[in-house]
Amino acid sequence: MNIDLKSLTTEGRNPNTFGIDIASTEEMISMINEEDKKVAFAVEKEIKHIAKAVDLITESFNNGGRLIYIGAGTSGRLGILDASECPPTFGVPAQMVHGIIAGGYEAIFKAKEGAEDDINLGEKDLKDINFDKKDVLVGITASGRTPYVIGALNFAKKIGAVTIAVTNNSDSPVQNIADVGIAVVVGGEALTGSTRLKAGTAQKMVLNMLTTGSMIKIGKAYENLMVDVQSTNEKLTQRSKNIVVEATGVDESIAKEYLEETNYDVKLSIFMIKSKLDKKTAQEIVNKNNGHIRKALNEVINK
C-alpha cells in the first residue's frame, strides 16, 4: 500500500515548533506542552463516537465476549498497556481485555517496524487467540492506514464481530471499515511525524475511556470508587480499606474486619455493611444483580 504521507494530518509540519531545535530547554518543553494542551479538546469532539463504542464493548462483555486491541508500534504498545491494567484495577480475567502488537512480544520492547506492512499478519494474530464474533476488535493506528490493522479489521468484520477504529486522521481507511470510527485529529506533532507525542497521548486517553466506561457499566464501580480492585500489594490493600470506609462511613478497623471475612472482596464488604446481611445472603444478591452494588441495594430496599 502506497501512503501519501503529505496527505496525513499527523505528518504535517507544525509551524509553532519550527524553531524547536534552537530553543532553550525551557522553551522547547513549553512548545511541547502547548501542543499537548490541545489533545483533550480534540478528544472532546469524538465523545459521541467514544460513547457508542463503550456501549458496544459493554454489550460484548455482558455476552461473554472480549475486548481485543490491535496495533503496530506505539499504538500496539498503548493497547497492551491499557489491557494489562484492567485485571488489577477491575478484577477481571487477563484474557477479557487483550492487546496484540504487530511483530509479537519482542516488538513491545524493540521496534519491528516492518511487521505493520503485512496485511495478512493481523488476521493470523487474531486467529491465534481464537477471535470470534462475540469479541470486539479495536484497531489503533495514528495514520488510519496501517496494513496490519486494516487486515485485522477486515477479518473481524467478515466474521461478524464489532469493529472500532481509533485513529488521528479523518476519513481514513480504517474509519471506512469499522462500525465505529474514532478520529482524534490533533494536528502536526511538535517533532514532525513523531506520533508517540500528541497522537499517542490522544490514543491513550481514548483507550482509558473505552475500558473505564465499559467496566463502570458492567458494575465495576460504586459511585466513583473501584470496588473490584485487587489487593495484590500493600498499597492496594490499603486502598481497599479506604474504599470501604469511603463507601460506607465505617472506621478503618470495621472495614478491615469485613475485608478479612470476605477475603478482601471490596464489593461484597461494602454491600454487607450497607445491607446488614450475612456473607452468604449478600453474595447471592450481588451475584443475582451481576455485581452492581446499586441494583443489589435497591433490591434489598424494595423488599
Side-chain angles (χ1 to χ4, degrees), residues 1 70 118-124 126-127 131 137-139 144-165 173-179:
M1 178 184 291
I70 198 162
D118 189 338
I119 198 166
N120 298 311
L121 185 57
E123 177 177 341
K124 177 186 177 300
L126 288 179
K127 287 179 177 177
F131 183 88
L137 182 67
V138 177
R145 290 162 168 76
T146 304
Y148 175 77
V149 176
I150 288 174
L153 287 169
N154 279 329
F155 170 70
K157 190 90 171 174
K158 182 173 68 176
I159 67 171
V162 170
T163 53
I164 298 164
V174 293
Q175 283 179 274
N176 296 328
I177 296 168
D179 298 309

Side-chain angles (χ1 to χ4, degrees), residues 287-300:
N287 291 345
K288 179 182 174 183
N289 287 278
N290 298 315
H292 291 262
I293 293 182
R294 286 189 189 272
K295 291 180 182 179
L297 286 171
N298 285 339
E299 178 177 329
V300 172

